[in-house]
Amino acid sequence: MRRRTLLATGMAGLTTVAVGRPAFAGPGRRQLTVALVPLDDRPVNTYAAQMTAASAGAQAQLPPRELLGRFFTPGDGAAIARWLGTTDGVDGYVISVSMLAYGGLIASRTAAPTLAAALATLAAIRTLRSTRPEAVIEVHDTIQRLAITSTGTELDQYRDLLVSWAKLYDQVVNLGQEELRAQLDAVRVRIPDQVVEDYLAARARNHQVNRLMVEWVADGTINHLVLSEDDTAPVGLARAERVELEALVAQLGVGDRVEIFPGADEVNALLVARVIAAGTNPTYRVEYAGVSGEAWTAQLEGIPFAENIRRHVTSVGGRVVSGDADIVLAVNTPSTVPGQRAADLDAFVGRIGTLLAAGTPVIVVDPLIVNKADHDLVARMENHLDLAALLSYSGWNTGGNALGLALSHGTARWAYLRSSGSGFGVPDLRAPGQAHAEYLLYRLVKDDPWKNIVQVEAYAHARARGWDPLALTSEQKTYFDGWVSERLVPLTERYFADHFAGHRIVLGRRGAKTFTATLTRFESARVELPWDRLFEVILEPRLHLS
């Protein structure tokens, strides 16, 4: 069912007024701006944060593109540090330690950047505090994942062995499970000493910087810190590092200003949303498709998903409640009985539809399957819901990634709709509404048909040609830029036509009126591979409102 009715998210009971393009030509409020040093240059760390901000009428201001590096080429931390010193008149800072200290997430997993060089560029955060004492400085760092990055070299043969060794080492040495020592020794002899030494050197440097960031929260340099566990597990060296960091947080009494949780790529957008939603104190009620998040741990994570939700919600400035709430988090979890799955999903989507019809803001989090949407869920949503009425959706990559991306977009948009009627002048409601719809379309297409169909076909096509989908040459990358674009642009246009065209979206309110616009036309889409691999894609749709 493709409904063309208005579902006024968060605005139930108010008079609705359609808005034409000239309606908000007058002066508005000053645009809120966040200076963002992203984790790396991938769309999940740049475009997602920018669109989260844009959907709330704000701007995420990034360093010049050439400073961010690309794939195995690290960003220029020293130049980014200098750029931070030029950012006057912004409303807050969101700074990735991985980029500023090492040149990005991939560079942070290698031993090449020295501790001294990292500390030199990180001094820019101290300088910001001394020169802008009232600034809001949000910082995030990663607790290094267990696996090294696939490089397409002989080092890749030790990737899985290192993960096994890191888990066994933690179990035997830290947790005292001596019955596993023989396994530990057997795995260790299969890995060259230099590989282990480089791995441990990177971990030791990163852990020292993690600790320093906690200390900088304690001394007031940083307002708020997120330490995200990148692709973690219940046991492993990352677990041991997390425990030490949690002890330091408790010792310094900064538990109200530091969160530690599974994730990584979502944190840029999450903290941008935190700056945007500051002072709104949103509340969230969680509804699950299947088992409770208290009883389920997502793959590549080490804590129950309900706890991960609580920590992400705290990081965005909100809290989870059991009763009436500003926003409902509808979370796709596995069913208790596999044969009950269809009925559980039908009931789950039915509850979402009831909430939307009542004007309740809904964020859909789809963390069930790593690296893609649960198509069985999305297909039901397409058939029974007005997708344009959702606050947000994400099923991208790990559970924490999906949670944080949906939570950031939905929270920023909710905060904007909540405040759109305040202040003086006539705010520009149209541009944020268009950005919101474009980002919602992006998420649904990228997480389901791209991941479940086009990317699968692209991997198969690459392998049939004898190419490595995760290590393309420049010529192969150029070939696949065209190959993917030829498929993804028309697919995105069809998806818009089937599920967005003719639907009305809420733009904002003024007094007793709720302003809306109709999604009328798909204009274009930019499609390209950001790195020399088929793992992710740039998809930037442009829509038209009437």
Side-chain angles (χ1 to χ4, degrees):
M1 178 177 66
R2 294 168 186 160
R3 290 184 290 155
R4 306 294 182 182
T5 57
L6 168 66
L7 297 180
T9 302
M11 303 293 178
L14 298 179
T15 303
T16 60
V17 179
V19 178
R21 184 168 293 278
F24 291 104
R29 293 166 293 181
R30 184 184 70 82
Q31 185 179 45
L32 184 146
T33 302
V34 181
L36 169 65
V37 176
L39 186 61
D40 59 35
D41 70 309
R42 289 172 299 150
V44 68
N45 291 310
T46 54
Y47 182 75
Q50 289 172 311
M51 294 303 285
T52 293
S55 68
Q59 178 187 26
Q61 178 181 328
L62 275 68
R65 173 64 186 80
E66 63 271 15
L67 301 185
L68 298 180
R70 182 179 178 275
F71 209 1
F72 293 116
T73 301
D76 189 339
I80 291 171
R82 292 191 293 272
W83 173 81
L84 279 170
T86 69
T87 52
D88 294 322
V90 300
D91 298 278
Y93 293 87
V94 173
I95 300 172
S96 162
V97 168
S98 295
M99 174 59 76
L100 186 59
Y102 316 118
L105 184 60
I106 286 181
S108 75
R109 297 171 184 159
T110 72
T114 67
L115 177 62
L119 295 178
T121 53
L122 288 172
I125 300 175
R126 296 282 246 185
T127 301
L128 276 181
R129 175 56 67 213
S130 63
T131 58
R132 299 166 176 79
E134 302 304 316
V136 174
I137 302 177
E138 302 278 343
V139 172
H140 63 104
D141 200 0
T142 55
I143 299 174
Q144 186 176 333
R145 75 179 190 179
L146 298 179
I148 58 175
T149 301
S150 295
T151 60
T153 68
E154 63 177 14
L155 190 62
D156 289 357
Q157 66 185 298
Y158 305 114
R159 188 173 186 269
D160 292 342
L161 286 171
L162 271 173
V163 172
S164 297
W165 177 79
K167 290 180 178 179
L168 287 165
Y169 186 95
D170 184 41
Q171 290 172 289
V172 173
V173 177
N174 297 323
L175 300 176
Q177 298 175 18
E178 284 295 326
E179 68 275 13
L180 299 176
R181 184 170 291 278
Q183 292 183 44
L184 171 65
D185 294 341
V187 171
R188 176 63 182 85
V189 298
R190 297 172 62 189
I191 311 172
D193 290 347
Q194 188 61 52
V195 172
V196 174
E197 289 168 8
D198 288 349
Y199 179 72
L200 291 177
R203 299 204 74 92
R205 179 204 61 212
N206 292 356
H207 187 55
Q208 189 167 340
V209 170
N210 288 161
R211 291 180 60 90
L212 180 63
M213 294 302 102
V214 176
E215 292 167 1
W216 282 7
V217 173
D219 70 18
T221 301
I222 296 170
N223 293 89
H224 175 252
L225 172 68
V226 168
L227 296 174
S228 58
E229 299 175 89
D230 183 17
D231 293 0
T232 188
V235 295
L237 293 179
R239 182 210 64 83
E241 292 161 359
R242 185 196 75 230
V243 169
E244 286 190 16
L245 291 165
E246 288 172 340
L248 179 62
V249 168
Q251 175 190 334
L252 297 178
V254 292
D256 60 335
R257 288 174 283 157
V258 179
E259 280 85 47
I260 303 175
F261 53 68
D265 287 325
E266 78 278 13
V267 183
N268 297 291
L270 193 71
L271 294 182
V272 166
R274 178 185 175 93
V275 175
I276 290 169
T280 61
N281 304 312
T283 55
Y284 306 79
R285 185 176 77 251
V286 184
E287 296 197 8
Y288 296 105
V291 299
S292 167
E294 305 287 356
W296 179 67
T297 298
Q299 190 177 345
L300 298 177
E301 298 188 357
I303 60 174
F305 202 69
E307 180 59 27
N308 203 7
I309 290 172
R310 283 190 285 270
R311 295 183 189 186
H312 273 77
V313 163
T314 299
S315 291
V316 84
R319 59 190 176 92
V320 175
V321 298
S322 58
D324 292 340
D326 297 311
I327 301 167
V328 169
L329 283 178
V331 181
N332 184 24
T333 52
S335 297
T336 305
V337 179
Q340 189 178 313
R341 186 62 182 162
D344 282 349
L345 286 178
D346 287 340
F348 181 60
V349 171
R351 294 201 306 274
I352 294 172
T354 299
L355 290 166
L356 292 175
T360 302
V362 178
I363 292 171
V364 177
V365 181
D366 189 5
L368 187 64
I369 307 172
V370 170
N371 200 30
K372 61 182 181 180
D374 178 0
H375 179 69
D376 290 341
L377 168 64
V378 177
R380 285 170 169 81
M381 289 168 53
E382 291 167 353
N383 288 330
H384 299 291
L385 299 180
D386 180 358
L387 298 181
L390 294 173
L391 268 183
S392 60
Y393 164 86
S394 180
W396 190 82
N397 213 22
T398 68
N401 294 156
L403 168 62
L405 289 171
L407 183 64
S408 56
H409 176 201
T411 299
R413 184 63 184 165
W414 170 84
Y416 176 79
L417 292 175
R418 179 178 181 273
S419 65
S420 62
S422 61
F424 298 97
V426 181
D428 176 16
L429 301 180
R430 175 168 296 280
Q434 180 174 321
H436 164 68
E438 290 168 350
Y439 187 41
L440 187 57
L441 174 63
Y442 160 89
R443 282 258 63 96
L444 286 158
V445 171
K446 187 173 182 181
D447 296 351
D448 187 21
W450 157 251
K451 281 293 185 181
N452 283 308
I453 300 172
V454 180
Q455 188 189 64
V456 174
E457 295 173 351
Y459 272 51
H461 186 58
R463 288 172 177 142
R465 287 174 164 252
W467 300 349
D468 184 347
L470 297 179
L472 301 173
T473 66
S474 58
E475 293 80 9
Q476 293 165 0
K477 193 263 188 189
T478 299
Y479 171 85
F480 269 111
D481 280 340
W483 191 95
V484 171
S485 182
E486 287 172 0
R487 287 154 179 79
L488 199 54
V489 172
L491 187 155
T492 305
E493 185 170 12
R494 287 196 303 273
Y495 201 97
F496 171 82
D498 288 345
H499 306 296
F500 282 78
H503 289 241
R504 304 194 69 77
I505 63 167
V506 173
L507 298 180
R509 61 185 173 85
R510 206 65 170 162
K513 294 181 179 179
T514 295
F515 295 97
T516 69
T518 301
L519 293 162
T520 56
R521 190 167 66 249
F522 174 90
E523 299 277 9
S524 63
R526 177 193 172 210
V527 172
E528 183 183 348
L529 301 179
W531 287 358
D532 301 338
R533 64 184 191 180
L534 289 165
F535 183 77
E536 65 269 291
V537 69
I538 292 170
L539 170 62
E540 298 178 3
R542 295 289 294 173
L543 306 180
H544 184 270
L545 307 181
S546 66

